Each structure stands twice: as C-alpha cells, then as structure tokens.
Amino acid sequence: MATKPELLASASSLDELRRFAEAGADAFVIGESRYGVRLPGDFPVEQIAEAVAFAKPRGIRIYAALNNVLDNDTVRTLPGYMKQIVDAGVDAIVFGDPAVLMTARTEAAGVPLHWNAEMTSTNYATAEYWGRRGATRFITARELNMEQVLETKAQSSLEIQVQVHGLTNIYHSKRPLVRNYVDHQSEGAKEQSSQLPGNGVPQGTIEEGLYLMEAERPNERYPIYEDANGTHIMSADDLCMIENLHELMEAGIDSFRIETLLKSAEYNETVIRAYRAAIDAYAADPDGYRFNESWLEAIQALQDPNRELSYGFFYKEQVY
Amino acid sequence: MATKTKPLFTGKRHRLDRPELLAPAGNLEKLKFAVHYGADAVYIGGQHYGLRSNADNFTFEEMKEGVEFADRYGAKVFVATNIYAHNEDLAGLEDYLHGLEKAGIAAIIAADPIIMETAQRVAPKLEVHVSTQQSTMNWQAVQFWKDEGMPRVVLAREASLEEIAEIKANVDVEIEAFIHGAMCSSYSGRCVLSNHFTDRDSNRGGCCQSCRWKYDLYEDDIQVYGMDEDQFTMGSKDLCMLENVPDLIEVGVDSFKIEGRMKSLHYVATVVHAYRRAIDSYMADPDNYELKEEWLHDIQKAANRPLNTGFFYDTPGAEDHIYGPEDKAAPYDFAGVVLSYDESTGLAVIQQRNNFKPGQEVEFFGPNGTAFKQVVGDIADEAGDKLDAARHPLQPIVMRTEQPVQPMDMMRKRIRP
C-alpha cells in the first residue's frame, strides 16, 4: 500500500462541501473573496468553523484561502481575520502575498502555510525560498510541463500540490473590464448597470455564462467573470490528467487539486469520484495499477461539448 | 487625457526629496540619449532573465560601456532580471549575476525571489529592486521585502496615490512607480494569455500582447453586441502622469519610471526631456510651479496611444481602454541627430535618421535648451555636394540651423497632422 496523495477540491457552500466529501475529496480550500481569489462561493468565518467541525472527525482537512493580491485596507483587517480562522481550526493557510506570511508569524504560528501565487510559482528553488520562510507546501503553476513538475517534486523538500482537473485562470485584472465594455457600448451613464451582464448577482457568487471568443480561434470559449477582485478570464479547455495520473502518483506528488469553479455540482462530484477511484486503485497496488477507461468516460458524459478535456501544459514545450 | 488641476495633497510642505527619473534603454545608443536628456538612471535588459526576449538586449561589454557613459553624468544603470524562472533557467544564474556586478551595474530589478536571493549571495554589490511583476500593493508586503534586504520596491500599477502615501508612511524604503508608458491591464505577472494563445511564455519574456487583440463577448451562446459594434478588449490606454508630477513628488515616490525598452530613441528622449523639465521646475520652486503646455505637446509628439492616469486617482473605466482601431503612429518622427555645429558658419552636421528634404518644416530640441522650428534650407553631404533629399540612413548631412545647436540635439519632422 502506497501513501495516498490528497484529493483537494473547492466548494461553493457547506452543502456542496459535504457532497464532494462524500464523493471522495479529502481536503478543501475555502474562504472569503476579500482574502481569497476565484472561490466558487464565500464561506464566512462561522461557516469555515462549521466546515472544520464536519471535516475533522472524517479526517478531512480544511485550508483557508488567503491568496488574493492584498491592498492596504485588507491588510489592516488581516490579523483579526487570521486569528478567527485559526480559532475556527483550519489545517492550513494558502497565501500568495508576503503580507499573509508576515501576519501568520504572529497570528497563526504553527499553522502550515501553502504558497500559491498561481502562474508565478514556477521553480523548485523559489519553492525552497518560501519554504525557508515558513511555507510547507508549494502549488505548482499550471503552465509547467510534466518534466518540470516532476523535477520540482524531486528537488523540493516541500509538499507539492498539482492541479489535475478543471479550468485555470489565465488573466486577472483589477479593472472591471466587462462593466467598462458595457459602459463603452451604452455611452450614456444611466442605463449602464441594468444592462450589465450579471447585474443583480449577489456578492460572493459568480455570474456564469459569459465568455470571450477570438476570430482566429472559433472553437475556443474563454469564460470571463467579474467580482470584487476585478476581472478573471479562464482557460478554454479543462485540464484532465486522469489517464496519466500514475505519472504524478509515481513521483509522489502530495496533493491533487480539482478546480470546481464554473462547473455544476454534479459534474464536480463525478470528477472527484473518478480521481478518488484512480488514487485508491493506485494506492492499493501501485505495481498492478491500470487506468480504467470508465473513470474518464464518466467525466466525458458530463463534459460541456464546447470545452475540450486537455492535458494543459503537461506535455507542451513553450517558447519565449 | 484626464486633467487633474487640483493637487491631491495640499498639507503643510515638508522638505521634498528629489525623485529619480528612471528611463528605459533598449540598446546602448538609447541609453546614452536617455542619460543625456536627463534620466538619473536607466534600466536595460541583458542576454538572459529579462522579460523582453525580442529586444535588442545588452552584452556585458555593452553594459560596461553604458555604465561608463552614465557615470560621467552621475547616472546609474539597472538591469531587468524580471522573469519568473523555470527549473532549467536556474543553471547559469550565478554567473550571470556575477557578470552584471562586474560590469558595474547598480541594481537588478527582480520578480522571482530566488533571483533576488541569489543576487544577494553571489553579487552583493548589486542592489536588488523588487519588480512590479510581484504586484506589490500593500505596506506589509513592502515591509517584507525591506526585511529581506531589498532597498527598493516597484509597486503594482494598481496602487493609487493614496495607497502609495500609506505605504510611504508605514515603511522607510524606496518606492518606484511607473509614471509613463504602456501598461499591462492585468496584474503584472498574473497573465498567461500568451501561453494559452500562442504557447509563448509571458512570464519569461514571450508576451505576444493578446490583451490588445479584439474579442467577441458572448452570454449563454448569444453575442452580447452586434457585428458592427466595437469589440471587447482588455487593451489599456497608456499611462501619462506628466500633469501630475507634483502629486507624485508630494506623495514621496522615490523613482519615476518610464516604460518602454522597445520604444524608439526619439520616444525615450522626448519623454525623458518632458519629465526632466517638470521635475526640475517643481523642485526648484514648488509654490510657483506651473505645468507648461509645451511639455504636454512634446509628449504628444511621441505618443502612439491615447493617454490616461491609470489607477493613481481611481479605477480605470470605459474611457481608459482602446476600443476600436489601435495604434496610431506618433505624429512626429525622428529625422536626425546633431553630430556637430560650427558657430562661425552656422552650419550643423546632422546624422540622418529618417528622410528629410529642403522645404520641410522641422524642429530641433535638446536637453540644454535647444528648442526651435525652421524650414530645411539647402542640404549637402560632407564633401559639400548638394542633395535634393537626405535619403540614406546615418548619412551625415550639412545644413544651416537658424539657431545654435549642440551634439546629441535631435531634429524631428511632422509626419501627420
């Protein structure tokens, strides 16, 4: 029996979290959009505490998302917020901004810190840099290829987390780009907000259904949404590494992340089940492990036909 | 362009520090002109680890020459080592940083902490400045970098003047801010559009500027606006804080950074010249400072996009993007550079940089006061043979100037209204 890697997901609500736990996720990243970025739903501190109470007895871990780009105003509230989430019993804090690391030294001593700056987490030596300053886990950039991911695991003393399924963020602006575009089209000042796609969506939820297309790429739909943190543009394909998960399991990758953003609960549940099955099968008998086509078929059955399942950057060479 | 006439900070004046004017230099010649036109420091790219892989980047030899030239003006040379490294980029980093130190480079601008830390270890004479690619927005993150030994942080372009003031009030460290030029519309470093569209790694210098492409916005399978309407874009107008130099000085920005390692010699000289005059004029007499229209006009002569004030005063709105057609060429073009001037004859030797001919209106400008227009009279080559036009790049052309000029003064011509 091999050590099982963690299967990590996000969730938009407590109900969904319970459902995904049932499907086989054994860790969750949750939080509030003021501190965390691109969360499928907001978990106020009380709900984080509830999530922890649900998770602890089941051996499930709850990580607090504090990986936003933080401004002065938010930093002022950081010690109080961090104290609350530590009291709530979170198992780790996910950070990107060094201000979180600074605050954690006094407000969250002893709580593991996961460094996740998304596209800028690109090499093992930088992982070690953050490790020397207290990080316990390194979340690899989705733009790395397999060789780079495996070398990072081999060279780093930190836990390595890799996204294996779902869309990825490809552009984050502080500008409200959709609102600006609608304003530009309407030219006037009055009717803007009523015409805004997504108008009336409550805070902490995401308006789904908006996407961008580019003339030379007629089959690719890039989801775009706006929230209090600005504008987010997402990949046109969904990463899906289930066929090749053994490559990552053999290397001892510590955590596999499923991105649940902009997907139905049913889809996410199916994806989590599939990866759970693969991880369990590998752990039970690494040498006899074989990929089971039905895992992928279950995902394909629910896959949006306009979105390709892809290997992301795992088998690509990029130039610069 | 938005005009802010009312100063943001009108409190009791403390003693002001003179800010550094930091200019881009895509090659050795641009470096020399940037320094000559008034930059206190320039930043360049080397052969590796920079984010402009298509630029005409410096060799160590060229760096040495640039440093020696800058030294004569008391100016410094910085090198951008601002990629986010991948594993395979790490080999060679130590030698490269050591080479920069040996070449006399004053500072590197780094985004990846492993590059910062390696520089501290192997090239301790290099200052390390935290790049805007880190998207540093708050005082505590600035404090972190200061504690890590970084004397300077280049803030995120998203920081407002008020936020900068709060950062300055909380942390005693040099703050550098972009004040002019093209901007990422994303948080810098948080964009991999290029990677997805073209397999070019934006955070290692491969950015193909997909943010300036045009897109169609759909909502649930329906195109939100019709075919004949402007398409969606993330592309931003360019930053220009020339009208707001007093606010930047008052808030305590230590280094005013001009974007544009890919920009032309004429652009760099023009922009540096404008900010140099504004900064010097304000520092000389803050109470009676007046923005001169001619500085703004000069900026417009080299601008190739409409301008705005970014995030300094508020979050950019619809008017801050470029919907519809992009990129109008600047209205003026570089025509020549003065090589020498003979006071006794009133004749100048001008190196041709773009075609010009007798009868054309040109204007001369330079850092030591040269500023006049004239019509080109007779022109000749150095042998004294009369020419009907200056057609050959870099050819020395002899012509009479209506006022004295100096070497490195520039001559430009209007190319469109």
Side-chain angles (χ1 to χ4, degrees), chain B residues 34-35 54 177 246 276 290 347 352 383 394:
Chain B
V35 168
N54 289 327
R276 177 78 281 151
E290 258 183 83
L347 291 175
Q352 194 264 30
L394 306 183

Side-chain angles (χ1 to χ4, degrees), chain B residues 105-258:
Chain B
I105 297 302
I108 59 164
I109 307 163
D112 194 325
I114 199 61
I115 295 181
M116 302 180 201
E117 196 183 51
T118 307
Q120 289 176 321
R121 185 163 48 79
V122 307
K125 280 190 226 145
L126 284 179
E127 273 192 16
V128 181
H129 299 172
V130 179
S131 164
T132 196
Q133 298 296 115
Q134 267 287 344
S135 284
T136 307
M137 282 282 290
N138 69 73
W139 66 266
Q140 199 173 22
V142 172
Q143 182 69 52
F144 173 85
W145 294 120
K146 187 192 174 186
D147 294 350
E148 290 288 322
M150 314 305 160
R152 182 184 295 194
V153 177
V154 190
L155 294 181
R157 291 179 184 84
E158 287 76 10
S160 70
L161 278 178
E162 279 178 65
E163 288 172 322
I164 296 172
E166 191 176 347
I167 288 167
K168 285 297 293 183
N170 277 279
V171 191
D172 182 20
V173 70
E174 290 174 8
I175 292 297
E176 178 176 313
F178 277 93
I179 51 118
H180 195 93
M183 288 181 280
C184 286
S185 60
S186 67
Y187 282 111
S188 287
R190 308 301 177 97
C191 170
V192 289
L193 293 174
S194 276
N195 306 54
H196 279 257
F197 287 128
T198 62
D199 287 334
R200 293 176 61 88
D201 190 353
S202 54
N203 281 328
R204 286 191 289 173
C207 172
C208 67
Q209 306 210 13
S210 312
C211 61
R212 299 200 179 272
W213 299 357
K214 306 296 186 204
Y215 300 84
D216 293 313
L217 179 68
Y218 284 79
E219 185 173 24
D220 299 326
D221 297 339
I222 295 163
Q223 200 173 336
V224 179
Y225 296 101
M227 300 291 272
D228 50 347
E229 295 183 83
D230 285 341
Q231 289 179 288
F232 177 92
T233 185
M234 311 80 154
S236 166
K237 290 184 180 174
D238 283 2
L239 185 60
C240 175
M241 288 291 284
L242 184 65
E243 290 176 88
N244 315 90
V245 161
D247 281 352
L248 291 166
I249 294 176
E250 294 291 337
V251 89
V253 174
D254 299 279
S255 177
F256 289 16
K257 184 174 207 162
I258 297 165

Side-chain angles (χ1 to χ4, degrees), chain A residues 142 163-168 220 235-244 263 267 275 296 299-300 303-304 307-316, chain B residues 196:
Chain A
R142 280 80 51 111
Q163 184 178 335
V164 292
H165 198 95
L167 42 57
T168 64
E220 294 177 13
S235 60
D237 53 351
D238 288 316
L239 181 60
C240 176
M241 285 301 287
I242 192 145
E243 287 165 278
N244 301 335
K263 303 287 186 209
Y267 176 87
Y275 284 86
L296 178 59
I299 296 170
Q300 283 167 336
Q303 182 66 22
D304 179 345
R307 295 182 55 80
E308 192 188 344
L309 288 170
S310 83
Y311 301 123
F313 288 93
F314 276 102
Y315 305 105
K316 266 188 190 171
Chain B
H196 279 257

Side-chain angles (χ1 to χ4, degrees), chain B residues 51-67:
Chain B
L51 274 184
R52 295 288 177 274
S53 56
N54 289 327
D56 192 8
N57 290 315
F58 283 65
T59 62
F60 287 136
E61 274 312 304
E62 289 170 326
M63 285 182 196
K64 272 183 208 146
E65 192 183 334
V67 168

Side-chain angles (χ1 to χ4, degrees), chain A residues 72 76 97 103 122-124 126 132-133 148 170-173 181 184-185 209 211 213 221 318-319, chain B residues 85 87-88 112 117 138-140 148 166 185 187 192 195 197 199 201 204 216 218 220-221 230 318:
Chain A
N72 289 329
R76 256 193 297 281
D97 193 311
T103 307
T122 49
N123 70 75
Y124 65 80
T126 301
R132 288 191 287 279
R133 284 150 188 85
Q148 291 165 334
I170 65 173
Y171 172 95
H172 179 193
S173 175
Y181 180 53
H184 170 73
Q185 295 290 13
Y211 58 89
M213 289 184 79
R221 301 175 171 202
Q318 296 179 78
V319 294
Chain B
N87 294 341
E88 64 270 25
D112 194 325
E117 196 183 51
N138 69 73
W139 66 266
Q140 199 173 22
E148 290 288 322
E166 191 176 347
S185 60
Y187 282 111
V192 289
N195 306 54
F197 287 128
D199 287 334
D201 190 353
R204 286 191 289 173
D216 293 313
Y218 284 79
D220 299 326
D221 297 339
D230 285 341

